[in-house]
Amino acid sequence: ETAVFQTPNYHVTQVGNEVSFNCKQTLGHDTMYWYKQDSKKLLKIMFSYNNKQLIVNETVPRRFSPQSSDKAHLNLRIKSVEPEDSAVYLCASSLGQGDNERLFFGHGTKLSVL
Amino acid sequence: QQKVQQSPESLSVPEGGMASLNCTSSDRNFQYFWWYRQHSGEGPKALMSIFSDGDKKEGRFTAHLNKASLHVSLHIRDSQPSDSALYFCAASESQGGRALIFGTGTTVSVSP
């Protein structure tokens, strides 16, 4: 059963628009993540967030920004989307920040940029 | 270049057969390995972890790790149509706070 919830499931927008995706986990976990899955199904880490400490993948463009109100929520905002942002964005959570933590994923938000 | 490479890219297995997936990393800092499975339209789900050299068995799934050669494998015994999915190997470094790095993926198709 799903315990990491993402909205919306799909979003279609035009180049230059701003979009926001929501993620909520009900597992009581301390750490949350955003991954990007491209058209070749490759999964790349974008951000991880733990106890208000943000770890950013240096390859993520500055138009992407995570937003967290509490440890159960981690949203993703994209200012001025580009065609290469078309992908599935997957939110995940883990109990802690350890190296051997299991990740629990949501179903993803599929973004299409026209 | 992906730090975690998987082979083959795709694999067809008859129902009841054995599926064998391979994973090689290029970073000796990777100490912890996972196998995840992703069905179409869903997020990846963890199958099993392996942190020590040798074999680890969970039901029909057996993982093998050789840290010296940076090689991990997954074997699925008695494959079922429900095993048809995209399989990822994932690795993390021995430093706290680093997110999992996922491999390139292997698509497994099990035909009845």
Side-chain angles (χ1 to χ4, degrees), chain B residues 25-66:
Chain B
S25 66
S26 58
D27 190 335
R28 290 208 168 269
N29 289 320
F30 288 145
Q31 293 290 311
Y32 304 101
F33 296 87
W34 288 85
W35 283 98
Y36 280 74
R37 179 166 78 177
Q38 184 178 25
H39 285 107
S40 182
E42 298 180 5
K45 185 177 285 190
L47 275 176
M48 62 190 300
S49 62
I50 185 164
F51 302 151
S52 303
D53 280 340
D55 291 336
K56 181 177 180 182
K57 185 178 178 183
E58 290 189 6
R60 296 184 294 108
F61 299 90
T62 300
H64 176 81
L65 172 60
N66 182 328

Side-chain angles (χ1 to χ4, degrees), chain A residues 21-33:
Chain A
F21 304 143
N22 302 311
C23 180
K24 170 187 172 181
Q25 54 95 0
T26 59
L27 295 164
H29 287 171
D30 286 335
T31 308
M32 295 184 73
Y33 311 81

Side-chain angles (χ1 to χ4, degrees), chain A residues 21-110:
Chain A
F21 304 143
N22 302 311
C23 180
K24 170 187 172 181
Q25 54 95 0
T26 59
L27 295 164
H29 287 171
D30 286 335
T31 308
M32 295 184 73
Y33 311 81
W34 279 106
Y35 279 82
K36 179 181 179 181
Q37 187 167 38
D38 65 18
S39 58
K40 295 181 181 178
K41 304 296 185 183
L42 293 176
L43 272 168
K44 294 280 179 64
I45 179 68
M46 300 179 72
F47 306 99
S48 62
Y49 206 86
N50 175 277
N51 289 330
K52 299 185 181 179
Q53 181 188 12
L54 175 66
I55 301 172
V56 182
N57 184 320
E58 60 273 10
T59 65
V60 175
R62 296 181 64 143
R63 61 181 179 276
F64 288 86
S65 59
Q67 299 169 319
S68 178
S69 56
D70 55 57
K71 71 175 190 179
H73 296 83
L74 183 65
N75 300 330
L76 181 67
R77 186 178 76 158
I78 314 174
K79 255 194 319 187
S80 189
V81 296
E82 300 282 340
E84 61 264 29
D85 298 338
S86 294
V88 176
Y89 291 87
L90 288 156
C91 176
S93 70
S94 64
L95 183 60
Q97 212 179 348
D99 307 308
N100 55 355
E101 298 286 350
R102 174 187 295 250
L103 265 57
F104 292 80
F105 282 88
H107 282 204
T109 294
K110 184 172 183 177

Side-chain angles (χ1 to χ4, degrees), chain B:
Chain B
Q1 177 75 6
Q2 289 284 113
K3 280 190 175 183
V4 182
Q5 294 281 341
Q6 291 182 239
S7 64
E9 200 171 300
S10 62
L11 180 61
S12 291
V13 183
E15 185 174 357
M18 172 81 82
S20 295
L21 290 67
N22 297 296
C23 172
T24 305
S25 66
S26 58
D27 190 335
R28 290 208 168 269
N29 289 320
F30 288 145
Q31 293 290 311
Y32 304 101
F33 296 87
W34 288 85
W35 283 98
Y36 280 74
R37 179 166 78 177
Q38 184 178 25
H39 285 107
S40 182
E42 298 180 5
K45 185 177 285 190
L47 275 176
M48 62 190 300
S49 62
I50 185 164
F51 302 151
S52 303
D53 280 340
D55 291 336
K56 181 177 180 182
K57 185 178 178 183
E58 290 189 6
R60 296 184 294 108
F61 299 90
T62 300
H64 176 81
L65 172 60
N66 182 328
K67 286 189 179 179
S69 61
L70 300 177
H71 182 258
V72 191
S73 61
L74 178 71
H75 303 278
I76 309 172
R77 176 178 56 83
D78 188 24
S79 296
Q80 301 298 307
S82 58
D83 294 327
S84 297
L86 177 58
Y87 288 75
F88 289 105
C89 170
S92 64
E93 300 178 5
S94 55
Q95 299 175 37
R98 301 293 183 98
L100 273 181
I101 305 300
F102 282 79
T104 48
T106 294
T107 299
V108 174
S109 300
V110 181
S111 50

